[in-house]
Amino acid sequence: RGGGMVPVLPGLYLGGAESCSSPESLAAAGVPPAVPGVQAMHVRLRDEPSADLLSRLDDCAAFIAAARAGGGAALVRWVNTGFLGQLKLYEAMGCAVDSSSPLYKRYRLEMLTERYPELKDLPREVFAVDPTSICQNPNTDVLYRCRKCRRALFRSSSILSHTEGSGPTAFAHKRMTDSTQLYGGGREKCTSYFTEPVQWMEPALLGVMEGQLLCPKCTSKLGSFSWRGDQCSCGRWVTPAFQIHKSRVDEVRTLPVGTFQAAKT
């Protein structure tokens, strides 16, 4: 809100709302005075860290780039320090909003509980398409099926990876369980897949904070979900958590055409 004007790049200045509005502050920073025809772009958001600035950053970046390319200057009024995390995420995605990025999908899920505290009428785009309704891409996606009935459940593009946790030390606050004692035997540390919600999960997820995830065909238990988050067997806390146990699904890989050659006789 306050603070002086800071040059970031040639023709790009960052400052609080007051400094950006003050002719004296602008002149002191070497910003050219306003002239008739100056264009302004206002991004209207609530002044709180949970406001979604990220989805508007592509438009903001394009506006700034156009101003600098035309030989002018762009002024950015810094409003909320809580937006810093969103800016870092934008940078991590290559300075472009990529809706297919696991980073963006995780961010979007975290924002949902702020926008929809009762978890009802969630936007359709939050849910990944049910793999039974579309063709699998054999070159990129791995399909995961229910081990009991073979019903297709999700694709590899729906898995949201997380940084491996600290192992058993992360469970020091509660009694050790079998899943946290796997490290000494060479077993894998993450015994579950954490995914984005898939369309077949929707009836179970709406209006409740946590529950079980059952196969939509045979109703066998696949895992669980919690909008508050849950702890992976590796010790990492994942929020929100849509957890499918690896022991309940099979991985199906499709080999590209041409992998096999006819045997010579």
Side-chain angles (χ1 to χ4, degrees), residues 9-253:
L9 293 171
L12 177 61
Y13 303 84
L14 178 67
E18 293 180 3
S19 61
C20 288
S21 303
S22 167
E24 294 77 15
S25 297
L26 294 175
V31 179
V35 296
V38 168
Q39 297 182 355
M41 177 180 180
H42 298 280
V43 180
R44 301 188 181 279
L45 295 172
R46 292 177 298 175
D47 188 10
E48 54 188 43
S50 61
D52 179 23
L53 174 65
L54 181 61
S55 63
R56 302 294 307 277
L57 286 180
D58 279 347
D59 292 337
C60 295
F63 181 85
I64 293 172
R68 297 181 63 219
L75 307 178
V76 179
R77 297 187 181 185
W78 189 256
V79 178
N80 193 313
T81 56
F83 292 150
L84 182 59
Q86 296 182 37
L87 290 171
K88 289 181 177 179
L89 177 56
Y90 189 68
E91 181 182 25
M93 290 191 293
C95 296
V97 175
D98 179 5
S99 60
S100 66
S101 166
L103 294 174
Y104 182 78
K105 290 178 180 180
R106 177 74 64 192
Y107 161 81
R108 184 175 58 186
L109 289 172
E110 291 173 350
M111 297 289 287
L112 277 180
T113 53
E114 297 287 342
R115 294 189 190 177
Y116 304 89
E118 296 181 358
L119 298 173
K120 296 180 179 179
D121 301 322
L122 297 178
R124 296 294 301 172
E125 62 267 20
V126 169
F127 296 90
V129 177
D130 192 320
T132 60
S133 64
I134 59 174
C135 295
Q136 181 187 7
N137 184 343
N139 295 321
T140 59
D141 279 354
V142 176
L143 189 64
Y144 293 83
R145 297 181 179 272
C146 172
R147 180 161 292 182
K148 183 175 181 181
C149 72
R150 310 301 297 163
R151 203 268 194 194
L153 299 171
F154 61 95
R155 296 175 294 159
S156 56
S157 57
S158 288
I159 296 176
L160 304 182
S161 59
H162 56 269
T163 304
E164 190 175 283
S166 56
T169 58
F171 295 84
H173 65 287
K174 59 184 179 180
R175 182 173 58 87
M176 297 287 284
T177 62
D178 291 340
S179 63
T180 63
Q181 296 174 351
L182 300 178
Y183 297 82
R187 301 276 295 279
E188 60 182 336
K189 295 182 179 181
C190 298
T191 59
S192 297
Y193 298 110
F194 287 82
T195 72
E196 62 182 327
V198 188
Q199 286 176 346
W200 59 263
M201 300 179 186
E202 185 174 1
L205 302 183
L206 297 183
V208 293
M209 291 300 297
E210 57 189 17
Q212 294 185 344
L213 291 176
L214 307 179
C215 175
K217 181 178 179 180
C218 68
T219 69
S220 62
K221 183 179 179 181
L222 301 171
S224 60
F225 73 91
S226 175
W227 289 99
R228 300 184 183 92
D230 205 351
Q231 199 162 23
C232 179
S233 56
C234 72
R236 177 66 58 188
W237 186 267
V238 180
T239 306
F242 307 95
Q243 184 175 188
I244 303 291
H245 300 311
K246 292 183 179 180
S247 61
R248 301 301 178 94
V249 296
D250 286 325
E251 182 181 279
V252 181
R253 295 179 179 270

